[in-house]
Amino acid sequence: MNIQIINGPNLNLLGVREKSIYGSADFESYLAELQKHFTNITINYYQSNVEGEIINKLHEVGFSYDGIVLNAGAYTHTSIAIADAIAAINAPTIEVHISNVYKREEFRHHSMLAASCKGVIAGFGMHSYRLAIESLLLKY
């Protein structure tokens, strides 16, 4: 099974930025934990601060991978283009957020992506990624 994790803008700064919201761990360290936990799954990681690059990655893996875990960061609330890319591919996509977006600013309460995704997981810190991968393993 091949899973692609895609992180959007500013998530390259995890462990450094706004530790009270995002914690002190960097994503690469957490990725190593995920890979140890899911030994029977190939987990690939990609991060970009550029909307078009995220769309290109969705197109690249969206027809051959078994699932995508996407934290589009602030693009979640603004990008119709990413929503269209998710709708156009075959791989089930889970939208994730480290923080509980509903406890934050009002503009974060609406996702442009959610309707195109299989599901949304938010508010469980880095464990949101693990929960998303576990949900991709479920057969509905």
Side-chain angles (χ1 to χ4, degrees):
M1 182 172 208
N2 290 312
I3 302 292
Q4 178 70 55
I5 296 175
I6 301 173
N7 274 346
N10 301 309
L11 292 166
N12 57 308
L13 298 177
L14 288 174
V16 177
R17 70 179 279 220
E18 300 171 284
K19 292 180 182 182
S20 63
I21 296 172
Y22 299 105
S24 57
D26 64 275
F27 193 80
E28 288 73 15
S29 298
Y30 184 68
L31 179 61
E33 288 181 36
L34 282 176
Q35 290 168 328
K36 285 180 189 174
H37 183 78
F38 295 104
T39 56
N40 58 335
I41 298 172
T42 301
I43 302 173
N44 295 292
Y45 175 60
Y46 179 79
Q47 189 278 327
S48 178
N49 294 315
V50 180
E51 183 179 27
E53 291 176 2
I54 293 168
I55 292 166
N56 287 341
K57 182 54 90 171
L58 288 165
H59 291 176
E60 176 188 326
V61 302
F63 296 96
S64 59
Y65 276 55
D66 300 296
I68 298 169
V69 175
L70 173 63
N71 184 341
Y75 288 138
T76 300
H77 318 291
T78 63
S79 183
I80 295 167
I82 292 175
D84 287 348
I86 295 166
I89 61 176
N90 295 334
T93 302
I94 307 296
E95 176 185 326
V96 300
H97 300 283
I98 295 168
S99 67
N100 180 349
V101 293
Y102 299 100
K103 290 180 97 175
R104 299 184 64 194
E105 304 92 340
E106 177 105 11
F107 74 87
R108 297 186 195 275
H109 298 183
H110 180 72
S111 169
M112 300 298 286
L113 313 181
S116 297
C117 291
K118 181 177 180 182
V120 178
I121 299 172
F124 294 96
M126 294 284 218
H127 295 296
S128 295
Y129 294 89
R130 178 183 51 79
L131 294 169
I133 293 170
E134 288 175 358
S135 74
L136 289 168
L137 297 175
L138 298 173
K139 302 295 180 206
Y140 292 91

